Structures are given as structure tokens and as C-alpha cells.
Amino acid sequence: MNDASVTPSGQPDALATIQRQIQWNRLIAVVEEQAQTMIRTAFSTTVREAGDLSAGIFDLQGRMLAQAVTGTPGHVNSMMESVGHFMRKFPVESMQPGDHYITNDPWLGTGHLHDLTVVTPAFRDGHIVGLFANTAHVIDVGGRGMGPDARSVYEEGLYIPIIKCFDRGVANETFFDILRMGTRTPAELEGDVYSLCACNDAGARRLVEMMDEFSMDSLDPLASFIFSSSLRATVAEIAKLPEGTFRATVRSDGYEAPVDLVAAMTIRPDAIEVDFAGTSGLSGRAINVPPAYCRAYACFGIKCVVAPEIPNNWASLQPFRMVIPEGCILNAPRPYPVAVRHIVGQLLPDLMMGCLHQAVPDRVTAEGSSALWNPPLRGGSEVSGQGATLPDFEVITFNSGGTGARPRLDGLDGTAFPSGVRTVPVEATENVAPVIFWRKELRPDSGGAGRTRGGMGQIMEIGAKGEAEFAVNAIFDRVDNAPRGRDGGQDGAPGWVGLDDGTVLRAKGYQTVPAGRHLLLKLPGGGGMGDPAERDPAALERDIADGLVSR
């Protein structure tokens, strides 16, 4: 195939443009197969059941060409930055077939130690042609576990620098020895590393097949087409917005004290800049956000409103620029604790929509539950000592409250936005840990009333087998500060954390559920949109009939 895509007159050749678009679509299919391979082979329920992962292909300059549809923006948009760090440690010229590189460095990866990022070179006819990268959230990396109580990142678990986990196809046994000894779940963690490497290999094989089919010697012409098309389309969408500076705030429950997220968004003809000046300072606990994770979710919140139809890649994100002041909670430096950075970071799309509501009010949602409610549960000797009646276990189950109401549609019930992960089925969790879910149902009256109402939260009641003692590492938000409605819509219901006898627990921190008691979680509902008096009476009657709203 001739790589030229312009005619002698300098105009784009229609056939070449069509062929480039086909190749682009094929590339997205390649990375989606990459992600699905990880889901099919992963050991951790966080990956195979919840889909808490990302996968993508990069050119030899470390720029993301395409991402899998499956995955979370917090992973994929911060992983986009991480590949450059890998290339600085291991230049492209030094890479060999069969090499796999790994890290969980929060400042070089995706924001906390529970995320493993693997980068793998792809070779065709002995020449490197691209890089595949993926990220997955694993169950346990030792330390205090997934929780907010640490005082520094060094308490949070096994810290892996950028190293080779496979060298020319041969496992780095020293690395795997350290890995197995540093976790409560050695089989799962080792299995997940093999899964991450296998999924990159699957992507590399499909890429070579594609390049052979189209007689492509390099990805550079396709990369140029993808980047120029994406940037041009994104700038065109920005140009449709009113220019100006728009401000908004969102309050998180925080840990020691509430956290205020503050943004000033300036819309220019060809770019959007967000300045987070005024945001609360760093926390002494693990709710701090590394800057890459801040950029990841802030960009996602803007993109959902401004350019949702444009594929996500290096170029389509370039017009979105962040100014994150040093010393604020969104710009945590080493060695601040960051284990549950999502509690604050996943509120950023709500903050971005608060700004954009002033510019394009008909294109944003009300605030939602936003931050995941994914209780890490632990039991056995580490909780109960020698008297433990349960085997040792560590498990995380992913769940969500309601999303904010949309301008013309209700919010979604029990749905993860902005993370996009799936709810882990109770059967999957009960299959791998000695716990029982006694209740899991929608929470009536939790969605904020409005012309369109907020999505419903959930009620969850969890106990241990034999009514034994167990522990929860609470990592919940929207308990003291409910999701807010917009344009006259009412706030969603705040969350609640406690025991089945009415005892109130802290929303954050390691706590024990006594023998004979159950953990009770009431997840927040989304805020409403518009005057509740304007709601369609038929829609209200449906909600009453379905038990979602009490009369």
C-alpha cells in the first residue's frame, strides 16, 4: 500500500482516507481484544468481574494511538503518561522481543500501588513497530491494604520500580520471589502479572497480522492520520463553546477535615485550561491524588461534555490543559500516601461539569455518587488472632451509588460514573471469600427529585460465614456531603455506613465488624435536575409502582 494520503494537488485522497479509517477501527479492535484477553485470564475479581483495567497501543514516541473501550478513564488517561516514563528507563533501542516491563509506582503509573502497569514492545520482521500497555487493579500488594489510614506511601504495600518482569521471554524469578512474599494473595498477584503480559502479547500478535494484511512497514503514517484527525475534531468542538472563565466547587468529606475542590475553567477558541487554585491542601492520610490521576479524571469530565464522540488518544486530549498548584491535594508529591486517591479524584468530573454547566447547561448532569463504594473486606488471623474461625482472606467488591440526573433522562441506578467499572456480582465475591451478602437492593427515595430524578443508590448488608468477626477498610465518600442537584433539582441522599443494629461506623478507616453483626452500607443517590414540580406525573407514578419513590 502506498503510504501517501494526498493527491498531487495536495488534497486528501478519498480512498486513502477511507483505508486509514478502516485501519484505525482495526486498531481499536486490536486493543479491545487485548483488554478482553486480560479479563478472561485475570485472577483478581477486580479485573475479571469489575473490569478495573485499561489497555492501549502506543507509537514509538510513547503517544497513545488507541485505547480499549473496556476500561476506566482513571487508568487509561494516566497510563497514557506512564509509557513515557518506561521509555526513559528502557529506551526503545534496547527493547527485545519477549521483554515485559512493569511498575506500580503511583507517580509513574496510575496513582496508587494497587495498580500494576505493564508495557510490552511489539516486533514485526525483527523490527520494533509499537508498544502495548495495560493497567489492572489487583486485590492486594501487602502493607496496610487498600485503605486510607497510611501516613506515607511506604506503608501502603509493595513498591515496584520500573523493571523487567520478563527478559526476552524468560521470567525474572527474583522479581516474582519478591512479589509472592509481599502480598496476602500470592497466587492471585502472580497470576495477574502473567495475565497482563499475556494480554499485551495478544495485542502484539493482532497488530502484526493487521500490518501484514495492509502491507504496513510502520505505524507512523497511521499515527499521523489519527492524531491530526483527532486534534482537528476536538478543536472544532471547543470552538462551538462560549469563551470565558467559569468557576465551580465540590466538597468531599475528606478524612481529617472536609476537602474543597476548586476550579476555574477558561474556554479559549482552541483549548480549555483548568486552574485548581484554591483547592484544599494535602492530607496526612491516603486520600491524596497524584497529578496524573487528577489530569486523567478532569480531562474525562470535560471530554464527556465537549467531545464525547471523538476517540480518546494522545492528540484528542492535548487541548485540555491543567494547572495544579503545588501543595494542593490534587498534586501529591512522594512520599505522601495515595492508596485511595479515587475518593477525591473521582469527584473531578462533577467539578468539571459544574464549570461547564455555566457554558452549556443542557449538556451536563447533576452530581452523582461518583466515588466508588468498594469495601475491602478482611478476615482470619490478621483480624481475630489465634481465635479466628475464618481462614485468612482479603477481597474487594466494587459497587456504586446513583448517577446524577441528565437534562432529559433520569440518572442511572447503582451505576459507576465516572469510573465505568462493572458491579462485582455477589456470587463472585462469595465464591472467593467466606462472606455472605444478606441484602443487595436499590435504596428507595435516594435519588434527588427533579424534572428528571437522580439515580438510586443501593443498600448492602454483608456478614461473614458462621457470623464470625471480620474487618472493613472503609473508603467511602458522599456521606457528609450529598451529591447536589442542578437547576432546582434536589440533592441525592447521602451515604451511610454502620452495622445492622444501627451502630454508626466511620466512613473512612479500618474497623472491625463484631461476631454476630453485619456491615450495612447505604450508598448515595444522584442529584436531581430541574424543578420537581415539572416532572412527568406518569414517570412519578412508575417510580412509586416500582418502589423507587415512596408516595
Side-chain angles (χ1 to χ4, degrees):
M1 184 194 76
N2 189 341
D3 280 334
S5 58
V6 296
T7 64
S9 65
Q11 297 300 313
D13 178 83
L15 182 59
T17 299
I18 291 171
Q19 193 166 44
R20 290 276 185 260
Q21 186 65 54
I22 292 171
Q23 293 168 354
W24 190 355
N25 291 342
R26 282 285 298 277
L27 212 55
I28 293 172
V30 166
V31 292
E32 185 61 24
E33 181 170 340
Q34 177 194 4
Q36 292 302 322
T37 300
M38 190 196 309
I39 289 172
R40 290 195 301 270
T41 60
F43 281 56
S44 291
T45 53
T46 49
V47 181
R48 70 171 189 264
E49 301 291 348
D52 195 6
L53 58 94
S54 66
I57 183 172
F58 295 71
D59 69 6
L60 297 182
Q61 296 181 51
R63 301 176 298 182
M64 187 171 71
L65 293 163
Q67 65 151 100
V69 176
T70 301
T72 74
H75 280 168
V76 73
N77 286 354
S78 49
M79 182 184 75
M80 188 180 70
E81 298 185 27
S82 68
V83 172
H85 298 300
F86 278 82
M87 294 172 66
R88 281 185 280 278
K89 178 76 176 288
F90 294 98
V92 167
E93 299 78 20
S94 70
M95 295 181 178
Q96 298 293 327
D99 284 353
H100 294 276
Y101 310 91
I102 191 170
T103 190
N104 69 345
D105 186 320
W107 289 271
L108 303 182
T110 60
H112 68 174
L113 297 178
H114 280 77
D115 287 345
L116 302 182
T117 298
V118 171
V119 173
T120 304
F123 285 80
R124 177 176 180 267
D125 296 334
H127 300 286
I128 187 170
V129 291
L131 299 168
F132 283 87
N134 62 59
T135 297
H137 180 110
V138 297
I139 295 291
D140 183 72
V141 288
R144 285 178 173 265
M146 179 86 172
D149 292 327
R151 293 288 191 173
S152 82
V153 71
Y154 303 118
E155 296 180 41
E156 295 179 335
L158 188 64
Y159 199 135
I160 306 168
I162 296 176
I163 59 172
K164 283 186 182 181
C165 54
F166 284 86
D167 186 352
R168 304 190 191 198
V170 178
N172 180 345
E173 291 301 339
T174 301
F175 162 73
F176 281 105
D177 284 344
I178 295 171
L179 192 76
R180 286 186 290 266
M181 292 301 294
T183 175
R184 300 171 181 88
T185 57
E188 288 85 350
L189 186 55
E190 182 178 12
D192 283 335
V193 172
Y194 274 85
S195 171
L196 298 179
C197 296
C199 95
N200 279 355
D201 283 340
R205 286 194 299 273
R206 289 300 189 200
L207 175 65
V208 171
E209 290 175 9
M210 170 191 157
M211 294 180 72
D212 289 343
E213 180 180 341
F214 289 97
S215 301
M216 300 169 66
D217 295 324
S218 168
L219 289 177
D220 290 348
L222 178 57
S224 178
F225 172 77
I226 291 172
F227 293 151
S228 61
S229 300
S230 301
L231 180 59
R232 185 169 58 249
T234 303
V235 170
E237 292 301 319
I238 293 172
K240 298 175 185 177
L241 304 175
E243 294 183 42
T245 298
F246 309 95
R247 293 176 169 82
T249 62
V250 168
R251 172 162 283 193
S252 160
D253 299 347
Y255 189 107
E256 309 97 321
V259 169
D260 289 317
L261 305 177
V262 180
M265 178 185 292
T266 301
I267 301 176
R268 309 186 192 281
D270 60 353
I272 295 177
E273 182 177 286
V274 181
D275 190 336
F276 292 99
T279 292
S280 295
L282 294 159
S283 170
R285 300 293 186 167
I287 62 173
N288 299 292
V289 182
Y293 195 80
C294 171
R295 286 188 286 268
Y297 269 113
C299 285
F300 177 69
I302 297 171
K303 200 170 187 307
C304 282
V305 176
V306 175
E309 302 301 323
I310 300 169
N312 198 59
N313 54 55
W314 173 81
S316 64
L317 296 177
Q318 289 305 297
F320 308 139
R321 302 163 190 165
M322 308 294 147
V323 179
I324 317 172
E326 291 185 8
C328 85
I329 198 168
L330 300 175
N331 193 358
R334 288 187 180 88
Y336 271 80
V338 290
V340 291
R341 82 291 192 237
H342 70 281
I343 289 175
V344 171
Q346 289 182 3
L347 299 179
L348 288 169
D350 281 343
L351 181 63
M352 297 300 98
M353 289 191 188
C355 295
L356 288 164
H357 179 254
Q358 302 159 58
V360 282
D362 60 334
R363 291 163 65 176
V364 305
T365 68
E367 292 182 5
S369 178
S370 301
L372 286 167
W373 279 52
N374 47 344
L377 307 174
R378 181 183 300 170
S381 59
E382 193 170 345
V383 175
S384 305
Q386 288 183 321
T389 59
L390 293 175
D392 292 348
F393 75 90
E394 183 92 11
V395 71
I396 302 175
T397 177
F398 282 25
N399 305 275
S400 306
T403 72
R406 295 165 285 182
R408 286 170 289 280
L409 294 169
D410 292 340
L412 301 172
D413 305 329
T415 300
F417 178 85
S419 74
V421 300
R422 298 187 297 270
T423 293
V424 175
V426 297
E427 297 85 356
T429 305
E430 291 174 342
N431 188 51
V432 298
V435 297
I436 298 173
F437 287 76
W438 292 100
R439 296 171 66 191
K440 192 173 193 295
E441 58 195 40
L442 292 180
R443 181 185 178 191
D445 294 321
S446 57
R451 183 181 61 254
T452 54
R453 64 156 174 79
M456 298 294 160
Q458 301 182 61
I459 297 174
M460 298 174 58
E461 184 177 341
I462 310 169
K465 288 186 177 179
E467 299 296 335
E469 177 185 50
F470 68 103
V472 59
N473 221 344
I475 50 175
F476 312 122
D477 211 274
R478 298 293 205 187
V479 172
D480 296 326
N481 296 276
R484 295 177 298 184
R486 297 198 199 279
D487 297 335
Q490 294 181 5
D491 294 348
W496 188 88
V497 185
L499 303 180
D500 58 335
D501 63 357
T503 301
V504 177
L505 298 181
R506 291 179 288 119
K508 293 182 178 70
Y510 184 90
Q511 294 152 97
T512 300
V513 177
R517 295 267 64 93
H518 298 163
L519 174 67
L520 187 62
L521 304 176
K522 298 179 182 179
L523 281 61
M529 178 79 79
D531 186 350
E534 298 176 4
R535 184 159 178 78
D536 180 0
L540 182 56
E541 287 301 321
R542 271 197 312 273
D543 285 347
I544 293 172
D546 291 340
L548 299 178
V549 175
S550 60
R551 191 173 292 280

